[in-house]
Amino acid sequence: MTSSYDSKKITEIHQHLHSELPSDPALRVKALESLLVEKGMVDSTAVDAWIDLYAEEIGPKRGARVVARAWTDPAFKARLMADGTAAISEFGYQGHATGHLVAVENTDKVHNLVVCTLCSCYPFSLLGMSPGWYKSQEYRSRAVRDPRGVLKEFGIDLAGDVEVRVWDSTAELRYLVVPQRPAGTETLGEEALAALVTRNSMIGTDRHLKAGA
């Protein structure tokens, strides 16, 4: 199905959104999709395909591959830390959501946490669909005011001597947390290592990855 842009239709849809869509975000999205499909502006099959692509095919798998390469290749890790955008382009990963990518590394004494305080900017081309909590007002505000409290709710109880660094994403700047490599994984290859990397660990709400997890 071929969709075409019609400014008059878009104006009508915009007015409809403000007058009739429900307040719940999930219901608003569904209502918006139904309205656009009804008016011939969107192909529902294409929408489903994109959702499947980011939820299942891309998901956090791309980011996990980048992390695994950083764990196993010191030269790549140096390039990633120096220029994240250029480094991930070696995988063919490019796009607006990662056009200005900064990689930050967890260590024994540093833990990194990513948030977007203004909206929900997120490197979706690396991590797939953003989790609901990442977009919530509570996370966006508390991650800055009380990062240790937020991390504790995710099961991360940091020692007092571990520094927490909070990074605020913007429309032009995205962050990727490089988690620490789990102990006991010295013999694993990149593919097996990538399977250990979680989406949350690349946001910073997961810290202790485990071999065989």
Side-chain angles (χ1 to χ4, degrees), residues 67-129:
V67 169
R69 177 71 57 83
W71 284 346
T72 58
D73 185 339
F76 173 78
K77 179 181 176 182
R79 295 194 296 275
L80 178 66
M81 304 309 294
D83 187 337
T85 300
I88 66 170
S89 70
E90 297 177 25
F91 288 82
Y93 301 159
Q94 296 171 312
H96 175 72
T98 48
H100 296 84
L101 182 72
V102 174
V104 292
E105 182 183 12
N106 283 352
T107 68
D108 289 341
K109 295 300 181 181
V110 174
H111 183 83
N112 297 281
L113 179 65
V114 181
V115 66
C116 178
T117 56
L118 292 179
C119 49
S120 56
C121 294
Y122 183 81
F124 59 83
S125 57
L126 281 180
L127 305 188
M129 308 292 284

Side-chain angles (χ1 to χ4, degrees), residues 137-205:
Q137 180 62 41
E138 181 180 12
Y139 176 78
R140 286 158 46 199
S141 60
R142 290 189 58 224
V144 174
R145 293 186 291 103
D146 181 25
R148 288 180 181 272
V150 169
L151 290 170
K152 193 168 185 177
E153 292 174 7
F154 278 93
I156 303 174
D157 195 359
L158 296 173
D161 63 345
V162 177
E163 177 188 358
V164 179
R165 298 176 182 173
V166 180
W167 303 92
D168 193 359
S169 289
T170 69
E172 297 182 347
L173 187 62
R174 308 293 167 89
Y175 294 93
L176 173 70
V177 176
V178 179
Q180 290 179 282
R181 181 172 176 168
T185 61
E186 293 77 13
T187 62
L188 298 183
E190 279 190 29
E191 184 175 349
L193 286 170
L196 305 180
V197 182
T198 65
R199 176 199 61 196
N200 285 11
S201 72
M202 294 180 283
I203 299 173
T205 53

Side-chain angles (χ1 to χ4, degrees), residues 16-32:
H16 183 81
L17 293 179
H18 286 277
S19 62
E20 298 186 27
L21 284 183
S23 58
D24 180 82
L27 294 177
R28 287 175 66 86
V29 169
K30 187 62 179 178
L32 175 58

